[in-house]
Amino acid sequence: MQKKQRNKRNRTAGPVVIAFLVILIAAGIYLVRRYTPTKERMSAADYFGSLAENEVAVVLQDALAEERGILEQDALYLDYSMVRDKINSRFFWDEGNQQMLFTTALQTYEIPVNSAQYSIDGTAEQYDKPIVLQTDGGLYLSIDFLALYTNLEYTLEKETQHVLVRYQWGTMKTGEIAKDTAVRYQGGIKSPILTDAHKGDTVYVLEEMEDWSRVLTPDGYIGYVKNKRLQSVQDTQITRDFQEPVYSSLTREERISLAWHQIDNADSNAYLKEDIAGMTGVDVISPTWFSVADNEGNIDSLASAEYVKDAHAAGLEVWGLVSNFSAQVDTSLLLSSTAVRRKMVDYLTSEAVSLGLEGINLDFEYIREEAGYSYVQFVRELSIGCRKNGLVFSIDVPVPMEFNRYFNRKELGTVADYVIIMGYDEHYAGSEEAGSVASLSFEENGIIGTLEDVPSGKIISGVPFYTRIWYTTDNGDGTAAVTSEAIGMNTADTTLETYGVTAQWNEETGQDYAAWTLENGTRCQIWLENEKSLAKKARLVSQYDLGGIAAWVLGFQRDTVWEVLEQNIAG
C-alpha cells in the first residue's frame, strides 16, 4: 500500500518539474532577448533618406541638413542657399546677370554658372572645375572653392553617399571611445546600429544623459553610445589652421562725437557756421546731402565744397549722408541690380574724394526682408569703394528687434567701420499710441542687442535731440485718434510754460514727463529729451565701451547739451 502511494507521488512530480523547467527556460530566453544588444544595422538609405545616384546627404556641423549636395565628376557641390544662410553669406546670386558674386574686403569675384572660368574685377581667372552648377534642382557651389575662403573641412563617404561638413570652431565637448562599441540610432541596446566606434576614437559629445550620450562620430553619424564606453569627456578647444580674411577698418582709439546736419536745399549749406556756433566737443558732422532719386541709381546731391572747407576750418570731419527716402525709389528693386549698386558706389566714392570728405554715412531705411541680402551686398560693395579710397564708412541701423534680424549685423559690423544704432523712433509719427521717442531702456537694449554681433569699438550710439508732443482725441465711438509733432528742446520747454505744466521725472523711461488736457478734450503728453535724459544715454557709451555717440539732429538742441555729452561719453 505504501509503495503504490510513493509511485503516485512520483508520477505527479514529473509534470511539475517539467513545467518548472519550461518556465525557467522561457524566463532565460526572455532575459537573454531583453538584455542582449541587437545586432541589427540600420542602412545608410534608412538613416540618410533616399538619394539619387549623384546626390549626397549633408551632415552640417552636428545636424543632418534638409538640403542635399551633389557629386559631379567626383567633385562635391553644396546647395547655394544652405551655404549662404549657414556657412558663408558672402556668396550672392546675381539674378540679372545669371552669375554668382563673391565679395572680399577689396574685390568681387564674378562667377558664371557651369564654367571653370571667372573674373576678379574684370581680370579673367581659371579654376580646375566649374565653381557654380545650375541644375533643375537649383544652384550648387563647389565645396573645394568654398574651402579656399571659408574655415571649413569636410569628410566625404562615397560608399554611403554622405558628407560631414564642419565650419564652426571653438570650445566643444569631446570624448574618447574607451572600448570598441556600437553607435546606435537611439539610446538603448535594442536600437539598430548606425556605425562602429573604435577604441581611441574621438567623438563630439552633443548631449549627455543618465546611461547614454548622443555623439557625432568622425565619419558623420549622429547616434548614441553607452556612457561606460566613453572616457575623458571634457570641453576642448577645437581650432583649424586657416587664415581668416582681413577687413581693415578706419576706427579710432578716441570716441567719435557726431552730429547730423539736415540740409533741405543747397542754400542751407551757407548756414553751417551759424548752426555750429555754440557746438563743442563734436568732431564729425554729417550733412544729409545725397539722396537716391530713382530705381536706376541716380543720386541727387546738395553737396558743397565751400561747406567742406568751412567744416574743416572748424576742426570737423565731414561724413556725407546718403538716404533712400524718395517716394520714387523701390529699395528692393534698386538694390537687386548689380549694375545699379555699382553705379551708386562709383558716384558716392568719386564725389567724396572730389569734395575732400573724410567719410560716407549710409542711411538706408525701410528695408523689407526680401531686400535684406541685396542691402548687405550693397554695404559690402560700398565698403570696398570706401576702403580703397581711405573713406570712413558708417551705416545707420535700427535697434535690433525680432522682425529685423535679416539685417545681418555681424556682417555689417565686419565690413563697415562704424555701425550707428538709431536709438530713437521707439514711438514715431504714425504710432498707434503715445510714448517716448527714446526711453533709456530702449537705447540700452539696442546697444546690448548690437553688441551680440558687432565689436563695441565699432558701435556708435545714436540719440535724439528731438521729442514729440502727442495728441490723443476721443473719436466718440470708443476709439481714439493719436497724432504727434516733432519739436526741439526749447520749443518743448516753451510749450510747457504756455500751458502752465511742470514735468516730473519718470524713472521708467529715464525722462521728464508731462501731460495736460486742452479745452477741446484732447489729451497731450510729452516725454522730454533734455540734459538730464541725455546724460544718462551718454553714460551708456562709456559703460559699454562704445566707439562714440551721434545726435539727430543739429538745431533741435540747447547748446548746454554739448558739454553734457562730452563729459558723459568720456566716462
Side-chain angles (χ1 to χ4, degrees):
M1 189 69 177
Q2 290 178 351
K3 184 176 181 181
K4 288 182 180 181
Q5 288 177 345
R6 195 164 44 247
N7 288 340
K8 185 176 181 180
R9 285 197 298 270
N10 288 340
R11 285 197 300 270
T12 57
V16 171
V17 171
I18 293 172
F20 179 70
L21 290 174
V22 169
I23 291 171
L24 283 178
I25 293 171
I29 293 173
Y30 169 77
L31 291 173
V32 168
R33 287 179 176 175
R34 180 174 180 179
Y35 294 106
T36 299
T38 182
K39 295 182 179 180
E40 177 190 359
R41 304 186 78 90
M42 177 179 283
S43 69
D46 286 338
Y47 180 67
F48 294 114
S50 178
L51 297 166
E53 184 177 354
N54 70 332
E55 279 190 328
V56 175
V58 180
V59 179
L60 193 60
Q61 194 68 21
D62 57 10
L64 181 60
E66 294 181 6
E67 301 86 352
R68 306 294 197 190
I70 58 174
L71 273 175
E72 187 72 23
Q73 298 181 352
D74 284 337
L76 177 62
Y77 293 81
L78 298 181
D79 178 84
Y80 159 63
S81 295
M82 181 180 71
V83 170
R84 180 194 66 189
D85 295 343
K86 299 176 181 177
I87 303 176
N88 190 327
S89 67
R90 292 176 184 145
F91 287 90
F92 178 84
W93 176 241
D94 178 5
E95 181 70 30
N97 295 310
Q98 290 290 292
Q99 62 180 359
M100 189 69 68
L101 303 180
F102 177 66
T103 307
T104 67
L106 292 171
Q107 298 171 317
T108 296
Y109 293 59
E110 298 179 356
I111 310 169
V113 297
N114 304 325
S115 171
Q117 290 186 334
Y118 63 99
S119 65
I120 305 176
D121 293 340
T123 302
E125 300 285 347
Q126 184 77 26
Y127 194 58
D128 62 354
K129 61 176 75 71
I131 300 170
V132 180
L133 294 183
Q134 189 171 34
T135 71
D136 292 340
L139 292 165
Y140 296 86
L141 281 168
S142 162
I143 194 171
D144 291 320
F145 184 84
L146 177 63
L148 295 175
Y149 304 97
T150 310
N151 190 6
L152 69 78
E153 63 185 18
Y154 70 95
T155 303
L156 177 62
E157 303 286 345
K158 290 186 178 180
E159 184 177 345
T160 50
Q161 292 181 250
H162 80 275
V163 62
L164 169 62
V165 181
R166 296 193 59 79
Y167 65 99
Q168 294 175 341
W169 312 97
T171 302
M172 301 178 188
K173 194 173 292 293
T174 62
E176 182 182 322
I177 299 298
K179 182 179 180 181
D180 289 358
T181 189
V183 180
R184 298 185 179 275
Y185 180 60
Q186 294 179 328
I189 60 174
K190 296 305 181 182
S191 183
I193 298 169
L194 295 177
T195 188
D196 297 306
H198 303 286
K199 181 179 180 180
D201 284 352
T202 296
V203 295
Y204 293 95
V205 180
L206 308 180
E207 183 183 4
E208 293 180 276
M209 293 167 285
E210 185 176 353
D211 298 315
W212 295 78
S213 288
R214 187 165 66 94
V215 302
L216 170 66
T217 66
D219 57 349
Y221 282 89
I222 299 170
Y224 292 80
V225 298
K226 283 185 174 181
N227 288 339
K228 65 182 181 181
R229 294 288 189 262
L230 276 176
Q231 62 185 13
S232 303
V233 176
Q234 60 188 346
D235 288 333
T236 305
Q237 189 69 20
I238 306 296
T239 60
R240 182 173 176 268
D241 187 17
F242 179 81
Q243 183 62 51
E244 292 286 355
V246 177
Y247 284 80
S248 61
S249 291
L250 293 175
T251 50
R252 305 176 190 159
E253 291 185 7
E254 66 274 14
R255 290 195 169 104
I256 297 289
S257 181
L258 177 149
W260 281 292
H261 192 193
Q262 191 159 9
I263 303 295
D264 295 322
N265 53 63
D267 293 339
S268 301
N269 289 307
Y271 294 96
L272 173 65
K273 291 181 180 179
E274 180 181 333
D275 290 343
I276 65 173
M279 187 174 75
T280 60
V282 175
D283 50 21
V284 177
I285 194 163
S286 181
T288 59
W289 274 343
F290 306 111
S291 57
V292 182
D294 53 39
N295 294 325
E296 301 303 314
N298 294 307
I299 294 178
D300 290 332
S301 173
L302 297 172
S304 162
E306 190 66 24
Y307 181 106
V308 177
K309 180 180 176 181
D310 290 342
H312 287 169
L316 297 170
E317 291 189 6
V318 183
W319 296 0
L321 180 146
V322 55
S323 66
N324 65 332
F325 301 155
S326 171
Q328 307 303 315
V329 174
D330 179 337
T331 303
S332 297
L333 180 61
L334 176 83
L335 297 179
S336 67
S337 168
T338 295
V340 168
R341 293 195 309 275
R342 289 179 179 173
K343 179 179 179 179
M344 292 189 291
V345 169
D346 290 344
Y347 175 84
L348 290 169
T349 53
S350 63
E351 279 293 284
V353 170
S354 176
L355 289 163
L357 306 185
E358 284 75 25
I360 292 174
N361 175 235
L362 181 65
D363 188 27
F364 272 26
E365 300 182 34
Y366 315 113
I367 306 291
R368 296 195 298 270
E369 185 170 4
E370 60 266 27
Y373 284 110
S374 298
Y375 168 72
V376 175
Q377 180 63 18
F378 177 54
V379 172
R380 289 192 192 101
E381 293 167 354
L382 184 52
S383 78
I384 292 176
C386 289
R387 198 171 286 111
K388 287 183 175 180
N389 288 283
L391 298 168
V392 179
F393 179 39
S394 60
I395 54 176
D396 306 335
V397 299
V399 166
M401 297 285 184
E402 189 63 36
F403 65 84
N404 62 28
R405 289 192 178 277
Y406 57 84
F407 265 85
N408 193 353
R409 286 173 176 78
K410 184 174 183 179
E411 182 71 354
L412 299 180
T414 297
V415 303
D417 296 309
Y418 288 103
V419 173
I420 304 180
I421 307 168
M422 295 182 289
Y424 35 83
D425 281 348
E426 179 179 5
H427 294 84
Y428 50 90
S431 287
E432 296 180 356
E433 61 180 7
S436 170
V437 168
S439 65
L440 184 62
S441 61
F442 183 77
E443 183 81 20
E444 185 168 18
N445 288 337
I447 292 169
I448 293 171
T450 305
L451 281 169
E452 293 179 6
D453 297 311
V454 182
S456 62
K458 282 192 165 192
I459 296 174
I460 293 177
S461 178
V463 300
F465 280 163
Y466 69 97
T467 186
R468 287 184 176 277
I469 300 179
W470 296 90
Y471 306 99
T472 304
T473 304
D474 189 346
N475 291 327
D477 59 0
T479 64
V482 179
T483 58
S484 69
E485 62 174 316
I487 58 174
M489 296 179 187
N490 288 332
T491 302
D493 286 349
T494 300
T495 300
L496 294 183
E497 290 174 7
T498 298
Y499 290 101
V501 179
T502 301
Q504 300 294 326
W505 182 254
N506 182 281
E507 195 66 39
E508 183 179 354
T509 62
Q511 295 167 308
D512 283 316
Y513 168 78
W516 65 98
T517 302
L518 301 179
E519 291 182 359
N520 64 2
T522 298
R523 178 173 170 77
C524 301
Q525 293 172 277
I526 189 168
W527 287 261
L528 294 172
E529 208 63 74
N530 54 28
E531 290 83 355
K532 188 175 181 181
S533 66
L534 285 170
K536 288 184 172 293
K537 290 181 173 68
R539 288 186 201 117
L540 297 174
V541 174
S542 57
Q543 178 181 337
Y544 290 98
D545 196 22
L546 305 185
I549 197 165
W552 180 270
V553 59
L554 192 64
F556 276 15
Q557 83 290 341
R558 277 190 296 271
D559 286 341
T560 49
V561 305
W562 298 119
E563 185 178 357
V564 170
L565 295 182
E566 185 177 9
Q567 290 179 348
N568 284 282
I569 68 171

